[in-house]
Structure formats: C-alpha cells, structure tokens
Amino acid sequence: MHDLIRTLLAFSFVLGVLVFIHELGHYLAARWRGVHVEVFSIGFGRPLLRWHDSVGTEWRLCPVPLGGYVRPHGFEGPEDATEEQKAAWQPGRTFHDKPVGSRAIVILAGPVFNFLLAIVLFTGLYATTGQPHLLTQVDMVMSGSAAAVAGVEKGDVITRVGDHAVRDATDLHDFVAARPGLDTTLGIHRAGGDSTLPVHIGSVTEKGGKSQGQLGVLFAVAMDKPQSVPHAFVSAVKETWNVSVQTLEGLWQMVTGQHTAKDLGGPLRIAQMSGQVAQYGVASLVSFMALLSINLGLINLFPVPILDGGRLVFYIFEAILGRPVSRRVQEVSFQVGFALIAGLFLFSTFNDLSHFGLFQWLASRAGHG
C-alpha cells in the first residue's frame, strides 16, 4: 500500500508539473500577443478547485492528471462560433483575429517551455550534485554473456576492442553493436595492469531479423564535481540537445523496424517509473522529470493535426498561401490525428499491461479454469 501511494503521488506530481509548464508556455505567449485566456486547466474532469484571477482567467484544478489545456478567447473561428460566442468576443483580444505569426508563437510556446524546463532542471542538478558520466569501467557482467565467457570481471576498464581504441561507453556500444558474432580481443585494464582477452561478440536479433552485437556488461556511473551555474547551464543545454537527438533516433528506429515498438510505454509505465525513481531521492526524480519534459516537448511538435505541431503545419501553409487551410481539410486532418493519438494511447497501454504481466496472469487463470 505504501508503494502504491508513493507511485500515485509521484506520478501526479511529475505529470502535474510537466503539464503546468507546457500550458504556462501557451498562457504567457497568449498574454504577450494580446490574446485573452478564458481557462487554464490542470487535469481533466469536474474541477476540484476553480478561481478567477485579476484579468478574468478561470484557473481549474481537476482530478484526472493526464493532461491539461489553455483555452484562448476566440480560439474558434467565425465559421465554428455560435452567435452567442460571437457576441461575447472582445475586440482585439481574440485568438483567431491575430496574425498567423502570433498564433504560431502561442502554439509553439508550449513545447518550448518543456525544453526550457529540462534545461532548468538539468542546470540545477549539475550545479548542486554534478553531472553523471558513464564510464568504461564494468559494473556488472551478465551471466553467460560474451564478456562473462571471455573472463571480464567487475571493475575492469575496457580500453580496446581489437585495434579500435575505446573513447567512451557510447563509442564502445556502437562499435560492438555493428559487429555481431565477431571473433576479436578486448583490451582490459585491471588492478593496475593491462591484459588482452579473446572474445566472441554475442548477437541479439532485433525486429526485422537484423542482428546487433552485444558484450553483456553494464558500466559504472561517476558523478562530476558540482559545476558553476554558467557551466551547468551550458552542460544542460548540451544534454537537452543530446537527449532530443537520441529520442528521435530511437523513434525512427522503431518506425523503420530496427527496434521493436514493444518498449513504447504509456501512462501506466510512466506512473510505475515515477514511483520507482522517487524512492532513489530528489535528484533521480528531477532527472526523470527533465527527460519526460523533453519527450513531451518533442511529441507535441510532431506534425499530427491534433497536436501543437499539426497546428503549426497549418499556420505554415497559411503563411505561404496567404489564406487559412480549408475548413474541410482541417476537420478531416483532426479526425485522423485523433485516431492516431487514440491508437497510440491504446497501443502503449497494451504494452504497459503486457509489461506488468497482466495477460500472462489472465492466461494462467483461464488455464486453471
């Protein structure tokens, strides 16, 4: 019960902060561009709390922490608005009357704030606890793996693979992954001395039949000294960029079949991981939030009509053509976009339930029946 409560609290906190920052970007950009914001909601469902601020925006806190929204005044265009809505419009403060550039800024600000949040969180971590680095020192050797058969031990530092000098853990992973089944040698630094071990690089088959090389080791992580705030900021920007690139590469590999989509997680997996990282302390939770914030920013920039990126595509076409995309095209696009997002949600939830072993449990119960 204690673990469940910690998981629920951590999940609500993590998702609540990410959603709030995302919507805050939309809200502040709307205010900057002279658009009145009618509603700022965190969560969905009947509001638990609601209040109005000095500029007339209604703030809501709702019980289902799976998202949120900002509703700009006049977000619906003249074709979609009722006569009652048109009568309530405040001249000069409606979203649809703003230039396409201003509307694009309001939409883009949400994902941008997610990237800014990641940079702020990473900066705080690196300035207070230091930046973690993956070493080429072995922390664990998997039983029966290529490394175990070769005689690699915990504490060994891998310096070479054949004639290839290892720069870092990423370089070692990439070099080995491209050479499944290769008979070669490992250069090892152990207890102050160097040695060479013969090794047969293992092979794992990915989706589509493609093989990848694998040694079967986990590497140690070292924490640098805390950095100055300016240095930490620069490191945070670099880390945010690197994580973004790696995430997009991973998604592309899923799309092209190089990796299986079974690893794609949804809200249940996020809830589980939130609870797990929360027990390791504030630093782990903050780092996890930064990674999720980057992912949320990237996902919202995808050119899917129901997402921010889809609206930005429409605004780009509007800027080029000099007129809005036809209402019919937008309606069909939003329907397709909704179907894609709903399908992705169901697929990721199915993956989560499979990951938790629900279907195996149901199958075993049916077998006993």
Side-chain angles (χ1 to χ4, degrees):
M1 179 60 71
H2 180 266
D3 288 343
L4 177 61
I5 293 175
R6 183 185 64 232
T7 296
L8 292 176
L9 289 177
F11 175 67
S12 299
F13 173 76
V14 168
L15 210 56
V17 170
L18 299 186
V19 169
F20 173 76
I21 293 298
H22 181 92
E23 300 304 333
L24 183 65
H26 292 312
Y27 171 81
L28 292 177
R31 292 284 305 275
W32 174 40
R33 306 314 297 174
V35 177
H36 172 59
V37 177
E38 296 178 349
V39 178
F40 189 126
S41 177
I42 300 299
F44 299 113
R46 179 173 294 182
L48 300 174
L49 293 172
R50 67 168 74 192
W51 66 95
H52 287 81
D53 63 18
S54 59
V55 296
T57 299
E58 180 182 307
W59 295 72
R60 299 176 182 175
L61 184 62
C62 302
V64 184
L66 292 178
Y69 62 92
V70 161
R71 188 167 70 213
H73 181 59
F75 189 69
E76 66 288 339
E79 303 88 357
D80 303 314
T82 63
E83 293 302 321
E84 184 180 358
Q85 288 174 319
K86 292 178 181 179
W89 281 344
Q90 302 173 23
R93 303 186 69 192
T94 58
F95 180 82
H96 67 264
D97 273 340
K98 295 298 178 181
V100 65
S102 292
R103 283 178 276 140
I105 288 172
V106 173
I107 296 301
L108 183 61
V112 167
F113 264 53
N114 282 125
F115 293 116
L116 292 178
L117 173 63
I119 292 172
V120 169
L121 294 177
F122 280 139
T123 299
L125 278 178
Y126 300 163
T128 55
T129 64
Q131 185 175 6
H133 285 288
L134 198 61
L135 305 177
T136 54
Q137 181 179 7
V138 176
D139 189 54
M140 188 178 80
V141 181
M142 299 178 186
S143 178
S145 65
V149 173
V152 176
E153 299 176 0
K154 180 178 179 179
D156 288 349
V157 176
I158 301 176
T159 58
R160 306 185 72 85
V161 181
D163 295 329
H164 178 75
V166 173
R167 296 190 303 273
D168 52 39
T170 301
D171 173 56
L172 174 60
H173 173 271
D174 293 343
F175 186 84
V176 170
R179 291 161 178 81
L182 177 67
D183 288 310
T184 184
T185 57
L186 292 178
I188 298 294
H189 184 77
R190 177 187 298 172
D194 295 318
S195 59
T196 301
L197 302 176
V199 65
H200 177 80
I201 296 178
S203 178
V204 291
T205 303
E206 298 287 339
K207 184 180 178 181
K210 184 178 180 180
S211 295
Q212 279 199 338
Q214 188 178 73
L215 284 178
V217 296
L218 296 180
F219 293 110
V221 176
M223 191 70 71
D224 290 345
K225 294 180 181 179
Q227 304 171 4
S228 66
V229 173
H231 188 190
F233 174 77
V234 173
S235 298
V237 171
K238 291 179 179 178
E239 183 66 11
T240 300
W241 172 260
N242 291 335
V243 170
S244 300
V245 171
Q246 292 166 7
T247 301
L248 291 175
E249 288 176 347
L251 289 172
W252 178 250
Q253 289 172 350
M254 285 186 185
V255 171
T256 58
Q258 298 178 52
H259 284 298
T260 176
K262 290 183 178 179
D263 293 331
L264 186 66
L268 298 179
R269 192 89 60 92
I270 293 174
Q272 181 197 37
M273 294 179 68
S274 300
Q276 289 174 346
V277 298
Q279 65 183 327
Y280 295 118
V282 175
S284 295
L285 186 61
V286 169
S287 182
F288 179 64
M289 288 175 62
L291 295 175
L292 278 183
S293 192
I294 293 170
N295 279 267
L296 182 60
L298 287 173
I299 289 171
N300 270 280
L301 287 177
F302 288 172
V304 178
I306 200 172
L307 301 177
D308 294 334
R311 293 191 179 277
L312 288 173
V313 171
F314 287 144
Y315 295 155
I316 290 172
F317 276 107
E318 181 177 343
I320 294 172
L321 300 174
R323 55 180 173 77
V325 176
S326 73
R327 184 180 178 187
R328 178 59 180 165
V329 170
Q330 292 191 46
E331 288 177 349
V332 173
S333 299
F334 282 123
Q335 290 170 359
V336 172
F338 179 80
L340 286 172
I341 296 300
L344 182 62
F345 178 83
L346 292 174
F347 178 74
S348 61
T349 302
F350 178 86
N351 277 353
D352 291 347
L353 296 175
S354 298
H355 177 77
F356 297 150
L358 175 65
F359 300 116
Q360 292 89 333
W361 180 80
L362 290 175
S364 66
R365 298 291 296 178
H368 285 101

